[in-house]
Amino acid sequence: MRQVLRIMTVSKTPGLRFLDATEKLFPDAIRRRFEDIQQNNDIVQSLSAFQKYGSDQIPMTPTAGRVNQQRGGGFFSGVLTALTGVAVVLLVYHWSSRESEHDLLVHKAVAKWTAEEVILWLEQLGPWASLYRDRFLSERVNGRLLLTLTEEEFSRAPYTIENSSHRRAILMELERVKALGVKPPQNLWEYKAVNPGRSLFLLYALKSSPRLGLLYLYLFDYTDTFLPFIHTICPHEDDLGEDIISKLLDLREPTWKQWREFLVKYSFLPYQLIAEFAWDWLEVHYWTSRFLIVNAMLLSVLELFSFWRIWSRSELKTVPQRMWSHFWKVSTQGLFVAMFWPLIPQFVCNCLFYWALYFNPIINIDLVVKEVRRLETQVL
């Protein structure tokens, strides 16, 4: 009891100074009450947790406050600073080493591809495509020649692609190239170059409202985005072991088993779907995929804390109202951004994109630590 009073009186407010005066005027009553409290272990633990929380929040003196602040947050602040430095270095690396978005093959007509660009397109189909790299180079296959090749020519010399699955994969991708006139996007940066607005929208939608974001993909971007997504995170039994590009090219309708697995994760662990999708891209986007996976884990923890607060406060009846408010908020923000999108500078969009990609995980680490401390105080 005295410990609690000592913590409370440091704020020097009139009400709390009154408690200090009460302790001096009625020492016997305070002593008896203190002895009763000491016999109750639950109350003792709660008071200890309250004292710890008060010590972290309110410095006893200016000097002690600085010491306490350094002791409580020095290590964690150092970790956040280090992670921020890594994110900045990674961001500078991408800006300096990655070619301009306008120079990507997704913006260059296939008929104008050089022999080296054809090899780049071929190698992005999967690790197996490297088997045929030298054959394409020896024939100096450029974009115009590529458009004329047929399955029969691929199966005989000088290409000699004997594996029928490899031939089908090359021909299927070649048909997409012919239909689009350019290379379809096959990684994050190419997708962002082709769809800057949609990539920014999906990045924030999957972060703040993953269920609505995935529902949007199902309703409005089923063939190009949703089908590759579900085939990647919930692959068919026949597709196990296939590379990521082969899964992206799979446009078959999902089986009931795939839908069942997807709906379970969609309902209870939506961020796990994003983490699994990023996991399959580790070889393509080494550090970026890891940032996405960590962020998905942190967002899952924060969502669990939100549900715990609702449950502990007996506010389950407010869930439908909260869901509707959230839906209305997200829809309004999306509509607002869509209306003013043509007026937003590209530099601002890139800053928002990279902020959500690399800096949000660092912010979420801080939020998770605060939730853990708050939960520790409430439980004790």
Side-chain angles (χ1 to χ4, degrees):
M1 190 71 175
R2 293 190 182 94
Q3 293 173 341
V4 177
L5 291 174
R6 191 178 304 114
I7 296 170
M8 297 174 66
T9 53
V10 297
S11 62
K12 304 303 182 182
T13 61
L16 296 181
R17 287 199 298 269
F18 172 77
L19 294 176
D20 191 22
T22 302
E23 183 181 13
K24 294 179 180 179
L25 292 175
F26 306 99
D28 295 336
I30 293 295
R31 179 178 53 79
R32 288 194 299 270
R33 182 56 179 163
F34 178 74
E35 293 174 353
D36 294 338
I37 291 176
Q38 287 288 78
Q39 296 176 359
N40 192 319
N41 293 329
D42 294 336
I43 296 180
V44 171
Q45 292 179 358
S46 298
L47 291 176
S48 299
F50 183 76
Q51 180 185 14
K52 179 179 180 299
Y53 182 78
S55 299
D56 292 339
Q57 298 296 321
I58 305 175
M60 300 299 293
T61 62
T63 303
R66 288 192 295 269
V67 174
N68 186 40
Q69 185 177 3
Q70 293 176 357
R71 182 170 59 247
F75 174 76
F76 184 65
S77 299
V79 172
L80 286 182
T81 302
L83 290 176
T84 304
V86 172
V88 171
V89 171
L90 187 61
L91 183 58
V92 172
Y93 170 78
H94 277 303
W95 274 347
S96 60
S97 64
R98 191 164 51 86
E99 56 184 323
S100 173
E101 291 184 352
H102 297 288
D103 296 332
L104 296 174
L105 293 183
V106 293
H107 289 311
K108 188 174 183 179
V110 62
K112 297 182 180 180
W113 290 0
T114 64
E116 290 74 17
E117 290 171 334
V118 170
I119 295 301
L120 177 62
W121 166 80
L122 180 67
E123 290 180 334
Q124 289 186 356
L125 298 182
W128 53 268
S130 60
L131 299 173
Y132 315 109
R133 182 180 186 278
D134 294 336
R135 304 174 194 180
F136 276 73
L137 272 179
S138 62
E139 295 299 314
R140 300 302 297 174
V141 179
N142 59 16
R144 290 184 180 275
L145 180 56
L146 179 67
L147 293 175
T148 65
L149 295 178
T150 63
E151 183 176 6
E152 182 180 356
E153 291 175 296
F154 281 134
S155 61
R156 64 175 186 236
Y159 307 104
T160 318
I161 304 177
E162 299 177 352
N163 190 309
S164 59
S165 299
H166 293 177
R167 285 201 308 271
R168 285 197 302 270
I170 293 176
L171 287 170
M172 184 183 301
E173 185 63 13
L174 184 55
E175 290 299 323
R176 294 184 66 191
V177 169
K178 291 180 180 179
L180 294 175
V182 294
K183 176 183 178 293
Q186 293 178 337
N187 58 52
L188 176 61
W189 311 122
E190 291 180 346
Y191 187 86
K192 177 182 178 296
V194 177
N195 307 289
R198 184 185 300 174
S199 60
L200 183 62
F201 166 76
L202 290 177
L203 188 61
Y204 278 91
L206 294 176
K207 175 184 71 69
S208 61
S209 184
R211 296 174 181 85
L212 289 178
L214 294 175
L215 180 61
Y216 168 85
L217 293 180
Y218 175 79
L219 295 176
F220 303 106
D221 202 3
Y222 183 78
T223 302
D224 294 337
T225 306
F226 185 81
L227 276 182
F229 182 80
I230 192 172
H231 283 304
T232 302
I233 59 177
C234 304
H236 192 272
E237 294 178 354
D238 299 336
D239 299 335
L240 294 176
E242 287 190 349
D243 57 89
I244 182 63
I245 301 300
S246 299
K247 295 176 182 178
L248 288 178
L249 299 177
D250 191 354
L251 299 180
R252 293 175 297 174
E253 287 296 323
T255 63
W256 167 242
K257 185 176 182 180
Q258 288 177 281
W259 277 116
R260 182 177 58 190
E261 180 182 355
F262 171 79
L263 290 175
V264 171
K265 295 178 180 178
Y266 173 84
S267 302
F268 299 101
L269 295 170
Y271 292 112
Q272 182 178 339
L273 297 175
I274 303 172
E276 291 180 4
F277 186 78
W279 181 267
D280 284 331
W281 287 90
L282 288 177
E283 295 182 358
V284 182
H285 301 296
Y286 185 83
W287 282 107
T288 302
S289 294
R290 282 162 172 77
F291 269 82
L292 288 173
I293 293 171
V294 170
N295 198 30
M297 295 171 57
L298 295 171
L299 290 170
S300 297
V301 173
L302 291 174
E303 187 175 62
L304 289 176
F305 277 123
S306 298
F307 281 118
W308 169 256
R309 283 197 298 270
I310 294 175
W311 175 269
S312 61
R313 297 173 182 175
S314 301
E315 297 178 349
L316 292 177
K317 295 181 179 180
T318 64
V319 170
Q321 181 181 358
R322 291 171 182 264
M323 294 176 60
W324 171 252
S325 300
H326 180 70
F327 172 77
W328 179 255
K329 177 182 177 181
V330 172
S331 301
T332 304
Q333 291 177 347
L335 181 61
F336 180 81
V337 173
M339 291 174 57
F340 291 93
W341 175 256
L343 304 177
I344 303 177
Q346 186 62 36
F347 173 77
V348 175
C349 298
N350 287 334
C351 290
L352 293 174
F353 181 86
Y354 290 115
W355 177 271
L357 199 61
Y358 295 118
F359 290 93
N360 265 330
I362 301 173
I363 297 174
N364 290 332
I365 291 176
D366 186 34
L367 294 177
V368 168
V369 171
K370 290 180 179 178
E371 290 290 344
V372 171
R373 289 177 175 174
R374 184 181 296 112
L375 180 63
E376 179 185 7
T377 303
Q378 293 175 351
V379 172
L380 293 177

